[in-house]
Amino acid sequence: MENNEFLKNEALKKLPYKADKAYFNAMQDQVLHKIKLRDHEKNIFRNNFPFYIASGIAASLLFLLVFQWFTPKKEALPILSEVYFEDDEEIEYELSIDFSPENLGFDDAQMYLEINDVDEYEIYAEL
Amino acid sequence: MASPNRMKAVANKYKNELDFKNLMDTYQEQLYMLIRRMLVDHDDTNDVLQEVFIIVWENMEKFKGESGIYTWMYRIAVNHCLKFIEKKKKRTKWMFGDYNTVLLDKVKADSGFSEDKTLLLLQEAILKLPEKQRLVFQMRYYDEMPYKEMSEILETSEGALKASYHHAQKKIEEYVLTHAQLNT
């Protein structure tokens, strides 16, 4: 077989792929049906768009509410000691507290010294 | 280049169901053959052809009229075909191995080819080509499309297309020559 002659054979250009009129008619119907279906879906989405937005906002708010509901709140801590000073009273306090949990009778406790004001000290214990 | 009014007129003309049906009537066979030659399988061709017409309908407003409507549709079909092949390659890789081998098996199973050994040999040789080269070869060989039009569709220079076609032709002839000798 000659190199260049092979592809010059016009008979090779005729492929046995056949699609008849009935197939094309059915294909066209399907295309038009799909187009209508997609247009319909787009319209539904467009019409319901405000509803989707409102639902989104409502769902977010609900989530925040539930999230807050289940978040553990900080409980008020017991005040162990309060020291108040009278105005103009010159008292020197030597604050000497052993903060170690064993000393306070707690196994696992944390102590806080909170200075709320110049002359007010509160000592908290967290169990 | 067509004026904006002309582009709009062309787009509006086909944005009507009856005219769109006429458009499909005019180009469906050519597009079917283009896709079928690339995908071999009729069902795959049917899926891609339908999708091409839907894309054409949805993007009619974007048609700029820079090229003929057939060139524009042909470009959509080519791009969609290549995307489909990429997807198929990934899917078949794990289950059936190489996608081209799957296509080759389909060609062999087609009774239309089994009757003509030369035709089958040519199809085997074509399926051995890389997709883009295969596309160039098929557009030139079967559709006898001018390089200028091919260049617009594939967005590649005419020189590169000529070289690609020449290489494809050589590969096919070599394959056919070798295998024809083996068979005799």
Side-chain angles (χ1 to χ4, degrees):
Chain A
M1 197 182 308
E2 274 299 312
N3 236 9
N4 293 325
E5 275 176 15
F6 177 73
L7 286 173
K8 282 180 187 163
N9 181 0
E10 287 292 317
L12 290 176
K13 291 188 180 179
K14 283 178 188 147
L15 296 174
Y17 299 142
K18 281 183 189 78
D20 54 15
K21 187 83 188 143
Y23 158 71
F24 283 122
N25 285 342
M27 186 276 297
Q28 284 190 8
D29 288 344
Q30 277 178 315
V31 168
L32 293 173
H33 177 70
K34 280 183 185 174
I35 286 170
K36 278 176 194 162
L37 210 66
R38 285 190 193 187
D39 280 349
H40 181 64
E41 281 166 1
K42 273 183 199 165
N43 281 339
I44 288 177
F45 182 77
R46 264 188 228 123
N47 292 341
N48 291 338
F49 192 69
F51 171 74
Y52 295 143
I53 295 288
S55 310
I57 293 169
S60 309
L61 286 174
L62 193 71
F63 173 76
L64 280 174
L65 207 71
V66 171
F67 183 74
Q68 254 195 338
W69 185 269
F70 285 104
T71 306
K73 286 165 196 69
K74 261 194 173 177
E75 282 177 26
L77 301 170
I79 298 170
L80 293 182
S81 169
E82 280 182 273
V83 182
Y84 295 99
F85 302 96
E86 294 294 323
D87 283 348
D88 304 328
E89 196 177 357
E90 285 187 23
I91 301 169
E92 278 190 20
Y93 265 87
E94 200 176 298
L95 199 61
S96 170
I97 302 169
D98 184 355
F99 284 100
S100 62
E102 297 84 7
N103 193 44
L104 291 163
F106 305 126
D107 289 336
D108 189 15
Q110 283 181 310
M111 302 295 298
Y112 297 97
L113 176 65
E114 194 175 294
I115 301 166
N116 292 328
D117 208 340
V118 181
D119 52 8
E120 186 184 315
Y121 299 86
E122 287 179 0
I123 298 167
Y124 296 94
E126 189 177 57
L127 299 179
Chain B
M1 194 186 293
S3 68
N5 285 342
R6 157 114 181 92
M7 293 171 211
K8 227 174 180 179
V10 173
N12 284 340
K13 178 175 164 29
Y14 292 114
K15 203 70 190 171
N16 163 305
E17 199 176 296
L18 204 68
D19 288 326
F20 188 64
K21 251 181 164 286
N22 286 338
L23 181 78
M24 288 197 278
D25 276 336
T26 315
Y27 299 115
Q28 61 193 8
E29 276 181 60
Q30 286 154 286
L31 291 177
Y32 175 87
M33 285 307 281
L34 160 81
I35 301 166
R36 181 80 194 262
R37 282 193 306 255
M38 283 300 285
L39 305 179
V40 179
D41 185 70
H42 170 77
D43 291 334
D44 289 346
T45 307
N46 181 37
D47 289 345
V48 172
L49 184 63
Q50 284 189 24
E51 202 53 45
V52 167
F53 280 126
I54 292 170
I55 293 170
V56 167
W57 171 270
E58 286 177 343
N59 292 282
M60 202 55 96
E61 280 89 1
K62 290 180 194 163
F63 173 60
K64 292 173 189 160
E66 287 168 344
S67 54
I69 195 147
Y70 177 61
T71 309
W72 179 63
M73 286 166 70
Y74 208 104
R75 191 185 301 148
I76 292 173
V78 163
N79 289 337
H80 209 67
C81 238
L82 292 174
K83 266 188 213 165
F84 185 87
I85 290 173
E86 275 310 305
K87 265 192 221 164
K88 271 273 177 178
K89 267 184 173 178
K90 280 178 195 160
R91 268 186 230 160
T92 48
K93 196 179 173 183
W94 302 105
M95 290 171 81
F96 309 107
D98 183 34
Y99 179 57
N100 280 4
T101 316
V102 175
L103 291 184
L104 204 60
D105 289 341
K106 279 183 184 168
V107 168
K108 281 176 185 167
D110 194 322
S111 58
F113 286 111
S114 56
E115 286 164 11
D116 189 337
K117 294 272 179 248
T118 328
L119 204 59
L120 180 65
L121 202 60
L122 175 62
Q123 289 312 305
E124 278 179 27
I126 291 172
L127 284 172
K128 295 277 175 197
L129 298 174
E131 281 83 43
K132 281 193 183 160
Q133 203 171 43
R134 181 147 55 102
L135 195 62
V136 171
F137 178 80
Q138 289 177 334
M139 284 163 89
R140 182 77 189 153
Y141 184 70
Y142 291 107
D143 293 339
E144 293 172 0
M145 193 177 272
Y147 283 112
K148 196 175 180 309
E149 205 177 336
M150 282 167 73
S151 162
E152 279 174 27
I153 292 169
L154 300 172
E155 289 166 340
T156 314
S157 70
E158 285 183 44
L161 291 171
K162 280 178 190 169
S164 183
Y165 181 72
H166 177 73
H167 285 304
Q169 217 177 0
K170 261 190 128 182
K171 280 186 200 171
I172 289 169
E173 282 163 356
E174 270 170 28
Y175 182 89
V176 170
L177 210 65
T178 320
H179 287 78
Q181 279 167 356
L182 284 174
N183 290 342
T184 50

